Every structure is written in structure tokens, then in C-alpha cells.
Amino acid sequence: MNTEATTTTIDHLVVETDDTERARAFYAAAFDLGDRIRVRRSEAPTSGFRGFTISLLASQPANVHALYDSAIAAGATAVKPVSKSLWGVGGTFRAPDGSVWTIATSSKKDTTPAEREIDSIVLLLGPADVGAAKRFYTERGLRAGKSFGAYVEFELPGSPVQFGLNARKALAKAAGVPLDGDGSHRLAIGGGAAAFSDLDGFAWEPAADATSVAPVSPVE
């Protein structure tokens, strides 16, 4: 195992874009994620689905609607409007920087008034080979928890951002976006003791490097 690259937590995510001002304004207005989402300039070529989704999990449907509506009002593009399903309530949108986001809850009933409150953040990567990607990450210190078929959730107790894998095709289908896409992922994952890239080119950076990437500040 490469102990220098060992990671058991994700401190933040860095979304890369060629329009940082617009991206920061969007994330600040859409929802308050504090320093968990950061923005950095990049002009690396990219197109279509970038092979990952970021999910915001809420406690009840009213909060899902409030968060989704806030994102659309701030400039996101609707992909799958919020709707009920067998597993709960959720919707998908594309942020102005091109990243795909989902907002969801497993609950089907509201118990309190609607709030733009987020329970957890989950990053799902869509590798070409889930089995190989799972081995790659377990060799770097991550422990696989829930795992079935081409889906894996890693156990990151106390991590601000949770992490998992889903086959690229299945991930795109669940998000409601076309599968095709290539070029840069335009995403960096802040966590671990040393910088490395996985088998699909997803870049990890030491959380300490975040000092050079300003966090998004919420607009009051």
C-alpha cells in the first residue's frame, strides 16, 4: 500500500471552471456549504458528463424542494425536477460550471417547515471499472462498507464529505444525463496525505493545499 497517499477523510471538493466569479456567486447564493466546496480556475478541455456527481442529502422532501429551487434560482439548469420515487424524493441539476448535482432524501413525509438545510454531502465517482477502482482505494486506506453490484460506499467516519463509486453508465442514468463526455473532470478532491490520481484520472490533493483555494462564502 502507498502509505503516503493513504486517506480516510475528504475535507472539501474543488470545482474547476473557466468562470470562477460566476461559480462562486452561484454556490454562495444556492446553498451554504461553507468551505466544503471551493472554486479554482481551469481552462482544461472538457465536454459532456464528467464522470461524477455531487449529492446533497436532506432530512425531508420540503428541504429538497427548497434547496433545488434555490439552485435553479441562482442559475443552475434543471436536469430532473424533484419528484417521488420508490426510494424517496430527489432531483438533479447542472451547475453553471457544468458539474452535475443531485438533492435527495429517503423520507417521503415532512415533519417540520421547509429549510435549506443539508444533512450530508456525498461524492460519487463513475469509474470505467468499479472493481479495479475499489481495489485502488482500499489499498490507499479506505474501507468499503455497503457494496452491491457496481456500487460501493466507503466508510469515512466523521468525514465532511462522504464518498462512493457507481459504474459510469449507471451513475449517468441515475442522474438523468447522457453518458458521453471526455476531457478533464474539472474536479479535485481535498483529502489524504499526498497528491495522487486514481485509475480514472480523478485528482486528490492534501487538504492542507486548500490554503491556495478560497472557499465559497454564502451570500446573506
Side-chain angles (χ1 to χ4, degrees):
M1 180 177 71
N2 183 352
T3 56
E4 289 187 349
T6 297
T7 181
T8 56
T9 188
I10 298 176
D11 178 76
H12 63 272
L13 303 175
V14 181
V15 177
E16 298 179 338
T17 175
D18 55 8
D19 191 340
T20 56
E21 183 176 348
R22 184 185 182 194
R24 287 196 177 98
F26 167 74
Y27 289 114
F31 26 67
D32 180 8
L33 298 179
D35 59 0
R36 301 310 173 195
I37 297 296
R38 298 165 182 261
V39 174
R40 179 167 60 203
R41 183 171 181 80
S42 173
E43 295 185 356
T46 188
S47 65
F49 182 48
R50 297 177 185 171
F52 71 90
T53 63
I54 303 173
S55 296
L56 304 180
L57 303 185
S59 63
Q60 61 179 6
N63 292 5
V64 170
H65 281 280
L67 289 162
Y68 189 90
D69 292 347
S70 179
I72 298 302
T77 301
V79 175
K80 289 173 63 176
V82 176
S83 62
K84 293 181 179 180
S85 69
L86 291 176
W87 53 264
V89 176
T92 306
F93 65 84
R94 193 183 299 272
D97 56 72
S99 55
V100 176
W101 292 67
T102 66
I103 301 177
T105 180
S106 59
S107 174
K108 296 184 180 181
K109 294 183 179 180
D110 295 320
T111 57
T112 61
E115 294 183 311
R116 291 194 303 164
E117 186 174 302
I118 297 162
D119 289 357
S120 60
I121 306 170
V122 180
L123 171 66
L124 284 179
L125 303 185
D129 185 330
V130 173
K134 179 181 178 181
R135 288 192 295 274
F136 178 91
Y137 281 110
T138 55
E139 288 174 355
R140 280 158 178 77
L142 294 184
R143 180 176 179 179
K146 184 185 298 183
S147 180
F148 51 88
Y151 180 83
V152 180
E153 286 182 10
F154 292 101
E155 295 180 351
L156 277 69
S159 176
V161 180
Q162 295 301 305
F163 176 53
L165 308 172
N166 197 2
R168 181 185 173 94
K169 183 176 181 179
L171 187 61
K173 181 178 180 180
V177 298
L179 174 64
D180 296 338
D182 55 28
S184 173
H185 297 299
R186 288 199 179 183
L187 174 76
I189 304 163
F196 66 93
S197 292
D198 72 6
L199 302 177
D200 296 273
F202 285 101
W204 288 66
E205 303 172 346
D209 289 355
T211 54
S212 63
V213 187
V216 176
S217 297
V219 173
E220 298 297 333

